[in-house]
Amino acid sequence: MISKLKEDYKKARKGKKPVVRPKRSALQAMLENLGRDEGIPPPPRGKPIQQEVDIPESAAQGAFPAGRRPMVGIGEDEAIETALGLGDLAKLTVSNEADALSSYDVNAAATKDTFRKTWNPKYTLRNHFDAVRTLAFHPVEPVLITGSEDHSLKLWNLDKTVPAKKTASLDVEPIYTFRGHSAAVLCLSISADGSKCFSGSMDSTICCWGMPDINMDPYDSYDCSILKEPLIGHTNAVWDIAFDATKNHLVSASADGTVRLWNPQQKSPLLNKYIGEKSYGVPTTVDFVRCDPCQIIVGYKSSDAVIYDLETAKPVITLDSKLLSDTDGTTQINCAISHPTLPITITAHEDRHIRFFDNNTGKMEHSMVAHLDAVTSLAIDPNGLYLLSGSHDCSIRLWNLESKTCVQEITSHRKKFDEAIYSVAFHPSKPYIASGGADALAKVFV
């Protein structure tokens, strides 16, 4: 564009009569006047000016921007750029690759969502060799742990960034890799104090890990002592686990048809076993009832959801979740979570729905088509105000729990074999959310 303007300017100058040059005294007077305006001392009157410059007619008629003086001792190309008013802009290279920072939606409407957090992508974590099936945040530190189908878990310190190879943004490298499973890692949970991590796998075991130093050098030698005694009892894939901070108990749901309660600190860690009716099929998800830690909620492939008493191992109530699918497909429950303060269970289904149930009555309070494909994962923010959902439609969505409306949608991952997002999570104490997907990536939003 600049070269074209130069060419046009040269053509316009051809055939024109030479412009009368201003006298040296006139130029000196102009410099003195400008110097007084801008506070620059005027040059000595007796010192000759080294080179005089042609001032084009367009410049004489006001082509120079106001307040800019003609430049002395410049070449032809620079004189053309000056006459065009480009100046330093001719040498400016613009890069529009800004870092995504956190922002707030401050719309004029004075609603409860006036200062709602708007989430933007910050980090893309690239180190796994296969799909990221599960992830969880450290309760206090800016640390994320991811579990993958490549049989490993990785620890990421979000404060330890390195320059990216191809972009101007910052990358995060894993500082520790947990190796102990012989098959895909399907689920994980971190203890309330952040000192331990538990992971369930397709190999039917639950591994117990000590938490490595989050400031360790990633090139330190591998520490085998971090892997503790595994919890052995299931005979098939462990689909889901959950940790309860009040009693330091762990609960697991397996494809062997059982749900088991563990105390990892005991020599005989298995405390109880819960077996549902045969019609329920395989349990797919489990969570502690947060407002009553003596109970657990179990979701099944048949779309049944049952609350069990931990001590008696008997059903307390069966939720009214056995429904026919609107799409003539399966209504399997992929994820069931308990609200942190209210007696409410929220379930994510294969038929694209999210449903809300009252734990006291078992009745369904609300049902909504939440995504364009199966809803795979759910997470609730620590204050219990917002719900995060992930789906195989490649998007994560943020929902206002009071109004049951979607307040933000983020396209997060690419599909692989018709599957996209496996897991989403809120940080318990810091402004982070994360998602893991079939594209072997984990993404962090701020």
Side-chain angles (χ1 to χ4, degrees):
M1 182 65 182
I2 295 172
S3 300
K4 187 175 183 302
L5 289 171
K6 289 179 181 179
E7 298 257 340
D8 293 343
Y9 182 76
K10 287 177 181 178
K11 289 178 183 179
R13 289 189 64 188
K14 285 184 180 179
K16 287 191 175 183
K17 293 181 181 181
V19 182
V20 179
R21 298 177 181 177
K23 294 181 179 180
R24 186 169 62 186
S25 59
L27 285 173
Q28 287 179 335
M30 291 171 62
L31 289 173
E32 286 179 0
N33 291 334
L34 289 170
R36 282 194 293 269
D37 292 341
E38 300 180 7
I40 301 173
R45 284 192 174 271
K47 189 173 181 178
I49 297 176
Q50 295 295 326
Q51 182 181 347
E52 294 178 355
V53 65
D54 289 343
I55 300 178
E57 289 181 353
S58 59
Q61 295 171 1
F64 288 106
R68 177 176 296 176
R69 59 177 178 264
M71 299 180 68
V72 180
I74 56 177
E76 183 184 17
D77 286 348
E78 292 176 346
I80 293 170
E81 292 168 1
T82 304
L84 292 173
L86 296 173
D88 293 338
L89 291 176
K91 302 174 184 176
L92 185 63
T93 302
V94 178
S95 174
N96 196 24
E97 195 171 344
D99 281 342
L101 299 175
S102 59
S103 59
Y104 289 87
D105 185 5
V106 286
N107 294 328
T111 65
K112 288 187 177 180
D113 291 338
T114 299
F115 295 101
R116 171 178 62 81
K117 184 85 167 66
T118 300
W119 299 96
N120 295 306
K122 182 68 172 177
Y123 303 117
T124 299
L125 311 183
R126 316 167 188 270
N127 204 271
H128 283 293
F129 296 109
D130 211 337
V132 178
R133 293 296 298 248
T134 181
L135 45 78
F137 281 105
H138 189 281
V140 179
E141 302 292 343
V143 168
L144 179 70
I145 298 180
T146 55
S148 168
E149 290 183 3
D150 64 8
H151 306 182
S152 73
L153 296 93
K154 292 183 184 290
L155 177 75
W156 312 77
N157 186 339
L158 302 180
D159 277 350
K160 298 184 73 170
T161 58
V162 295
K165 294 179 180 178
K166 296 183 179 179
T167 65
S169 60
L170 295 174
D171 258 349
V172 181
E173 295 290 340
I175 63 172
Y176 188 83
T177 299
F178 302 82
R179 305 184 190 279
H181 288 291
S182 59
V185 180
L186 302 177
C187 52
L188 72 90
S189 184
I190 300 177
S191 63
D193 60 359
S195 63
K196 295 184 179 64
C197 174
F198 307 93
S199 58
S201 169
M202 194 77 79
D203 62 11
S204 77
T205 65
I206 300 172
C207 282
C208 305
W209 313 86
M211 187 66 67
D213 181 6
I214 64 171
N215 294 310
M216 69 181 297
D217 188 330
Y219 299 103
D220 284 348
S221 58
Y222 185 74
D223 185 0
C224 299
S225 65
I226 288 178
L227 176 59
K228 311 299 181 183
E229 284 295 322
L231 303 178
I232 298 174
H234 287 296
T235 58
N236 208 329
V238 180
W239 288 120
D240 198 14
I241 57 177
F243 186 82
D244 173 44
T246 57
K247 296 182 179 179
N248 293 325
H249 286 173
L250 188 77
V251 66
S252 59
S254 170
D256 63 8
T258 67
V259 174
R260 297 175 187 242
L261 180 68
W262 312 83
N263 186 340
Q265 298 174 342
Q266 293 183 358
K267 289 185 178 180
S268 300
L270 182 61
L271 300 179
N272 215 334
K273 185 167 66 173
Y274 311 86
I275 302 175
E277 297 181 11
K278 287 187 178 181
S279 60
Y280 293 165
V282 172
T284 56
T285 179
V286 65
D287 193 16
F288 285 93
V289 176
R290 301 299 171 179
C291 60
D292 187 354
C294 294
Q295 298 177 346
I296 57 172
I297 174 71
V298 182
Y300 291 89
K301 188 173 182 179
S302 62
S303 81
D304 289 287
V306 182
I307 294 178
Y308 290 94
D309 185 277
L310 287 178
E311 293 185 4
T312 64
K314 293 182 179 179
V316 176
I317 192 169
T318 300
L319 304 184
D320 189 16
S321 58
K322 185 74 172 178
L323 300 168
L324 295 176
S325 172
D326 297 337
T327 57
D328 296 327
T330 177
T331 55
Q332 168 183 312
I333 297 176
N334 292 322
C335 182
I337 58 172
S338 176
H339 193 279
T341 57
L342 300 175
I344 294 174
T345 295
I346 306 172
T347 56
H349 294 256
E350 192 74 15
D351 65 353
R352 305 175 291 130
H353 283 71
I354 294 176
R355 297 184 170 99
F356 299 78
F357 298 91
D358 186 326
N359 292 348
N360 296 323
T361 64
K363 299 296 182 183
M364 184 173 66
E365 293 187 335
H366 186 72
S367 176
M368 60 187 183
V369 177
H371 285 270
L372 302 176
D373 207 334
V375 187
T376 58
S377 55
L378 298 172
I380 299 179
D381 82 297
N383 298 319
L385 301 178
Y386 291 97
L387 174 73
L388 194 65
S389 62
S391 167
H392 287 324
D393 66 4
C394 303
S395 74
I396 59 177
R397 296 186 179 185
L398 185 70
W399 304 85
N400 183 311
L401 281 176
E402 184 179 6
S403 62
K404 309 294 192 299
T405 56
C406 179
V407 293
Q408 187 178 358
E409 179 181 5
I410 307 170
T411 302
S412 182
H413 294 267
R414 293 184 179 181
K415 274 196 173 186
K416 178 184 175 183
F417 303 131
D418 290 329
E419 295 185 340
I421 297 174
Y422 288 122
S423 183
V424 294
F426 274 101
H427 194 292
S429 58
K430 294 184 183 297
Y432 291 111
I433 62 173
S435 62
D439 55 4
L441 301 177
K443 298 194 175 183
V444 179
F445 304 82
V446 297

